[in-house]
Amino acid sequence: MSEFRLKRVYDPAAPEDGRRVLVERLWPRGMRKADAALDDWLWDIAPSRDLRRWYGHDPAKWPQFRRRYREELAIHTGLLAKLQADAGEGPVTLLFAAHDRQRNSAAVLKEVLDEGWGHGGRAPTQSQEPRQGAEQPRFRAMTESDLATILELESGCHPDPWTIDMLQTSLRQGHHCRVMELDGAVLGHAVLQVVAGDAELLDLCIGAGIRGQGWGRLFLRHLIREASEAGACHLFLEVRASNEAAIRVYSGEGFHQVGRRPRYYVLPDGREDALVMARYIGDGEQTL
Ligand SMILES: CC(C)(COP(=O)(O)OP(=O)(O)OC[C@H]1O[C@@H](n2cnc3c(N)ncnc32)[C@H](O)[C@@H]1OP(=O)(O)O)[C@@H](O)C(=O)NCCC(=O)NCCS
């Protein structure tokens, strides 16, 4: 039976800790490496910088923090599987820095590990909102063999759908062309371009029959993380001014309008303005 324990990193190490794993993104203030007696430091499994800052250990935000961090954890199947494998060898102590011993990210991590997330390398199932009881999708690179499916999705997504030439060009140019799928079924696709510290989301599309279930937001969060990991500090996108659903998804994930391009889109029934939206996704001080 796997055993995960919680401990504040500032408390003295003890033999019963077993494997001591720090699960903070930042090194704990004032802590000496030797005193921490770490076996591992999984900084990448910690809450994203934005989530951590938003939470700020405000007890009123705890329920929402817990839900949002569980969503973030859903994409860390590899790290969860590693922790489960470690726990197969003996106790694993998850070390955190927060003063609050109950309401911290390590407690959420322990909760999902105790629920069995990451067992056998499987994607975790989310037992909490927004997608109750649902399997988690996986994100993978788009290939030529996806194009027929993608074109079908495109025709149900945009008044000016991408053509096969546009998709092939994006693949050739090495854009981050991604597919989100669940049990082999394609739920949606996206195209992201990262150039010299900036990223642009060129396309995001969720199948017409499955919208409004949280897939778009989940995909967007994955793309933000991917762009950030590729070194981008800002993520830009253009959206039709009347596309309320998309604007709501983007606003909900911290994007702000930074410009407007009049009559930018050429549509079958005329022209429409584009809103330019952007979000800072870098590590340092926000510059947008
Ligand atoms: C935009 C799109 C990707 C959103 O995907 P989705 O899976 O439907 O969105 P989600 O279910 O994750 O919704 C996330 C948020 O947006 C809101 N939202 C989604 N569809 C909405 C709609 N039609 N009207 C108002 N709000 C909507 C949700 O309520 C949710 O907000 P909440 O958490 O505050 O309730 C999807 O609608 C789509 O593929 N549209 C066609 C293609 C497109 O327009 N792409 C964007 C190009 S810039």
Side-chain angles (χ1 to χ4, degrees):
M1 173 70 189
S2 305
E3 188 184 344
F4 293 99
R5 300 175 177 187
L6 289 172
K7 194 166 185 176
R8 198 160 181 248
V9 67
Y10 297 101
D11 295 341
E16 61 272 20
D17 291 346
R19 190 170 171 78
R20 289 171 55 85
V21 182
L22 179 64
V23 289
E24 295 286 352
R25 188 167 293 272
L26 302 177
W27 184 255
R29 193 171 294 170
M31 188 78 211
R32 291 204 338 223
K33 276 240 157 49
D35 295 340
L38 296 186
D39 294 298
D40 210 349
W41 178 11
L42 297 187
W43 61 270
D44 203 24
I45 206 165
S48 63
R49 182 184 48 88
D50 284 349
L51 181 56
R52 178 168 50 81
R53 282 188 184 169
W54 170 83
Y55 177 39
H57 291 286
D58 175 354
K61 293 181 176 170
W62 167 249
Q64 220 182 331
F65 169 77
R66 180 175 159 273
R67 176 175 69 79
R68 288 176 62 182
Y69 183 37
R70 287 177 67 101
E71 283 175 30
E72 288 191 355
L73 284 171
I75 63 169
H76 284 304
T77 47
L79 293 173
L80 292 168
K82 177 183 170 1
L83 284 166
Q84 292 290 7
D86 288 345
E89 310 283 309
V92 171
T93 295
L94 306 170
L95 299 164
F96 60 92
H99 288 284
D100 190 328
R101 290 175 187 267
Q102 265 85 46
R103 286 166 298 201
N104 61 62
S105 56
V108 181
L109 178 58
K110 178 178 183 317
E111 178 183 291
V112 305
L113 289 164
D114 288 343
E115 286 171 21
W117 288 26
H119 256 313
R122 282 183 63 241
T125 52
Q126 264 186 324
S127 57
Q128 299 296 313
E129 58 193 292
R131 310 209 58 268
Q132 205 151 10
E135 286 290 319
Q136 288 304 308
R138 79 178 182 115
F139 304 97
R140 62 166 176 81
M142 188 190 293
T143 65
E144 284 274 341
S145 59
D146 291 312
L147 292 186
T149 310
I150 304 289
L151 283 173
E152 219 171 287
L153 277 175
E154 276 291 319
S155 64
C157 272
H158 301 296
D160 53 342
W162 281 44
T163 62
I164 190 153
D165 281 354
M166 291 161 76
L167 288 163
Q168 282 172 330
T169 304
S170 274
L171 284 172
R172 247 197 331 272
Q173 291 183 339
H175 294 163
H176 299 232
C177 303
R178 297 291 176 256
V179 164
M180 176 168 70
E181 68 178 11
L182 186 68
D183 293 336
V186 173
L187 305 177
H189 62 275
V191 178
L192 182 72
Q193 183 179 17
V194 183
V195 183
D198 281 335
E200 188 170 359
L201 182 57
L202 302 175
D203 194 14
L204 171 64
C205 199
I206 298 293
I210 54 163
R211 292 188 192 145
Q213 299 173 33
W215 296 122
R217 179 166 38 209
L218 204 61
F219 205 168
L220 181 59
R221 285 184 183 172
H222 171 81
L223 296 162
I224 290 169
R225 188 180 293 262
E226 187 169 333
S228 175
E229 284 170 359
C233 288
H234 302 100
L235 179 53
F236 292 88
L237 59 89
E238 283 147 6
V239 56
R240 279 183 297 109
S242 66
N243 192 346
E244 281 175 26
I247 292 169
R248 174 124 178 230
V249 175
Y250 298 138
S251 304
E253 292 305 311
F255 284 80
H256 299 284
Q257 186 182 337
V258 293
R260 187 176 188 112
R261 303 210 166 116
R263 298 168 48 77
Y264 180 77
Y265 290 105
V266 183
L267 305 176
D269 53 352
R271 285 180 171 262
E272 185 172 0
D273 292 0
L275 305 187
V276 184
M277 300 186 83
R279 200 196 114 160
Y280 180 74
I281 57 170
D283 267 338
E285 279 308 298
Q286 184 156 346
T287 60
L288 200 75

